[in-house]
Amino acid sequence: MSRPLHAHRDGPGIRAWVVWTTGVAAYILAITNRTSLSAVGVDAAERFQADAATLSLFAVVQLAVYGGMQIPVGVLLDRYGSRPIMTIGMILMAAGQLTMALSPSVGVAIVARMLLGAGDAAVFPAVLRLVATWFPAQRAPVMVQLTGILGQAGQLVAIIPIAALLHATSWTVAFGSIAGLGVLFAILVALIIRNHPPEVDRDISVNTDTGAIRVVTSSIDTGVGIRAAWAHPGTRLAFWSHFTTPFAGTAFMMLWGVPFLTAGEGRSLPEATGLLTIFVFAGMAFGPVLGDLSRRIPHLRSRLLVLPAVGIQLAAWLTVIGWPGPAPLWLLTVLVVALSLGGPASMIAFDHARTHNPSHRLSTATGLTNAGGFLAALVAIFLIGLTLDLQGAGTPETYRLDAFRLAFLAQVPLWLIGAFFISRERRRTRIHIGMDPPRRPRRGE
C-alpha cells in the first residue's frame, strides 16, 4: 500500500463542498436524462408509432453506448481530470435531449439516445474522482455512498415533473427544457468545478487495501490493463455481481414499468408514478444498510447480500406473474421494493473490484464492472420488447396483462446465469486469495 500523495490536514473546506455539490447536482441531472422515458414510454410509442421492440431499442442503444464508454471514460479521466470530461458529458446530454425534442422519426430519436448514453457515461465516475481529490481519504467511502444516494433523486424528476410538463405542454417543450438544463449545468461545471485543490498538482484515487480513494494515473497499455483486470477472479466476481443485481430494476424504471402498471395491471398513472416513487425511496433507504453490511462482512458479501437480493427479486416477479388476474396494490408495492434492492446490491460489485485490483488498474476494473449491469439491462429491455411483439402485443393499443407476464419471464435466464457465475467466481476468488484450499482434481483429470 502506497501513501496518499497529499493529506487534507484540516478536512474539506467550503470550496470542496461547493465543488462536490455541483458535481452531485450534475449527477442528479444525468440520472434524470437517463430515465427520462420512464414515465412517458406510452407517449413515446404513440409519437413515433413504435412497436415494443423499437421502443426497447431506445433504451438498448443508450445503455450500449453507456457501457461501451466506461473504459474510455476512465482513461480520459486519468489523463484530463473531471472538469473537462464532465463538461463534455453535460453538453452531449443536452444535445441528445434537444435532438429528442425535435426528432421527427425513430432513427433520429435513436441518435438522440446514443448522445445521452455517451454523456451520461462521463458523469458518475467524474464525480467519484472529485470525491477522491477534494476530500480526505477516510471520508471517501461515505462520500461515495452519499453521492449515489442523492443521485437517485434524479429518478423522481423523471417520474413526476417531466411527465407533468409533457402532458401540460408538448413533447418538444418537455425535452427541450431538459436540454436547456443540460446547457446550464455544463456552464456551472466549467465555472465551478476544478480537478483538484489549488495546493495539489495531481489527482487522487483508491487505496485498495483500505477502500480509501487515491489517485490513479496509469501509464500502462490499456489493453494490458484490461487483460490483467479480467484475469483476476475478483474482477469477474464484480462483473457478474453487477450483471445480475440491477438489471430488472433498470428495465422497470427506464422503460417497461409504467406500461406494465397502467396498460397491463390496469393502474392509473398516479398509482404507477407512486409505485415508481416508492422504488426510488426504498433504494435510497437500502443503500446505507447494504453499504454498512458490506463493510462488516467483506468475505460474505456475495453469499449473504448479493445472491439473496437476486433471489428476492426473482421471487417477487414470479409471484406477480403467477397471480390470478391483476395483482393487488400491496403486491405491486412488494415488487417495486424488491426491485429497489438491485441498485444498492450492485454497489457491492465495486467493493469487489476495489478490493481485488491494485490502484494502477482500478479505473479499468471499475469500468468492466459497471459495464456488466448495463449489458444485462439492455438485453433484458430488448427481450421484454421482443417477447411482447412476438405475442402481437407490441403497441399501446394491444398491450395486455398476459403478454406482459410472459415478457417479464425473459428476465429469469439472466438471473440464473448471473447467479451461477457469481457462485463460481466467488469460489475461485476465495481460492485465489488463499481463503479456501484449491479444488482437488477429479480422477482422470
Side-chain angles (χ1 to χ4, degrees):
M1 181 187 76
S2 60
R3 296 180 179 178
L5 294 176
H6 74 284
H8 300 260
R9 293 179 181 178
D10 300 322
I14 294 177
R15 188 172 184 182
W17 289 106
V18 171
V19 167
W20 176 77
T21 300
T22 305
V24 169
Y27 178 48
I28 291 172
L29 182 59
I31 295 291
T32 300
N33 279 284
R34 183 188 304 172
T35 55
S36 55
L37 286 182
S38 59
V40 297
V42 174
D43 300 88
E46 293 174 348
R47 175 180 175 84
F48 298 107
Q49 297 297 302
D51 58 20
T54 303
L55 194 60
S56 295
L57 197 58
F58 289 162
V60 166
V61 297
Q62 179 182 342
L63 292 176
V65 172
Y66 181 101
M69 288 294 293
Q70 288 303 301
I71 294 176
V73 164
V75 173
L76 291 171
L77 282 170
D78 284 342
R79 182 166 183 178
Y80 298 109
S82 295
R83 181 191 179 195
I85 303 306
M86 281 188 72
T87 302
I88 293 171
M90 302 310 295
I91 292 172
L92 285 174
M93 284 189 288
Q97 292 292 28
L98 181 60
T99 304
M100 196 72 180
L102 303 175
S103 57
S105 64
V106 169
V108 176
I110 288 174
V111 172
R113 303 312 287 184
M114 293 175 68
L115 289 170
L116 280 179
D120 185 13
V123 179
F124 184 58
V127 178
L128 293 189
R129 196 173 187 88
L130 291 174
V131 170
T133 56
W134 282 89
F135 288 84
Q138 65 270 23
R139 288 200 186 188
V142 174
M143 295 301 298
V144 169
Q145 286 283 347
L146 187 58
T147 299
I149 292 170
L150 293 175
Q152 298 315 303
Q155 296 182 84
L156 296 177
V157 180
I159 292 168
I160 301 172
I162 291 179
L165 180 61
L166 187 150
H167 295 144
T169 57
S170 67
W171 179 277
T172 301
V173 171
F175 285 88
S177 299
I178 309 174
L181 283 176
V183 173
L184 172 62
F185 271 84
I187 295 170
L188 289 176
V189 165
L191 291 177
I192 297 174
I193 287 180
R194 294 294 182 269
N195 288 344
H196 44 68
E199 70 272 13
V200 177
D201 60 359
R202 296 183 66 187
D203 287 352
I204 308 172
S205 185
V206 176
N207 182 318
T208 56
D209 294 334
T210 66
I213 302 181
R214 299 175 304 155
V215 137
V216 176
T217 52
S218 174
S219 59
I220 63 170
D221 176 71
T222 301
V224 173
I226 294 172
R227 290 191 296 271
W230 187 254
H232 197 296
T235 303
R236 300 196 297 272
L237 173 61
F239 173 90
W240 288 109
S241 297
H242 203 262
F243 178 96
T244 313
T245 46
F247 74 82
T250 302
F252 198 83
M253 285 297 294
M254 282 196 69
L255 193 60
W256 291 120
V258 170
F260 166 71
L261 293 170
T262 55
E265 292 286 348
R267 296 291 167 180
S268 66
L269 184 58
E271 286 177 319
T273 55
L275 287 167
L276 297 189
T277 302
I278 291 173
F279 174 97
V280 176
F281 282 116
M284 294 170 74
F286 283 132
V289 176
L290 290 187
D292 186 59
L293 289 174
S294 178
R295 179 183 63 84
R296 291 174 180 271
I297 52 173
H299 301 303
L300 297 172
R301 292 166 177 160
S302 298
R303 179 178 292 180
L304 297 185
L305 298 177
V306 175
L307 290 174
V310 172
I312 289 170
Q313 293 179 76
L314 174 59
W317 255 127
L318 291 179
T319 303
V320 171
I321 290 170
W323 194 268
L329 187 60
W330 68 264
L331 182 55
L332 294 174
T333 302
V334 170
L335 173 65
V336 297
V337 171
L339 293 178
S340 74
L341 272 171
S346 72
M347 296 301 290
I348 296 171
F350 297 105
D351 292 335
H352 291 311
R354 183 177 62 237
T355 301
H356 299 297
N357 283 275
S359 58
H360 69 263
R361 64 168 186 249
L362 182 68
S363 293
T364 299
T366 299
L368 288 169
T369 300
N370 206 21
F374 292 95
L375 171 63
L378 69 87
V379 172
I381 290 171
F382 180 75
L383 287 178
I384 292 167
L386 180 62
T387 307
L388 286 171
D389 277 346
L390 292 176
Q391 298 175 87
T395 61
E397 296 78 18
T398 58
Y399 287 158
R400 60 183 191 273
L401 181 57
D402 62 329
F404 272 114
R405 286 172 167 169
L406 187 58
F408 280 111
L409 280 175
Q411 300 173 113
V412 174
L414 296 175
W415 276 313
L416 297 179
I417 292 169
F420 168 78
F421 281 105
I422 288 171
S423 299
R424 188 178 76 165
E425 298 302 340
R426 178 181 185 273
R427 289 194 301 270
R428 291 182 172 181
T429 300
R430 290 176 66 87
I431 292 170
H432 186 86
I433 64 178
M435 293 190 65
D436 290 340
R439 182 177 66 89
R440 294 182 179 179
R442 298 174 182 175
R443 291 183 179 181
E445 288 186 348

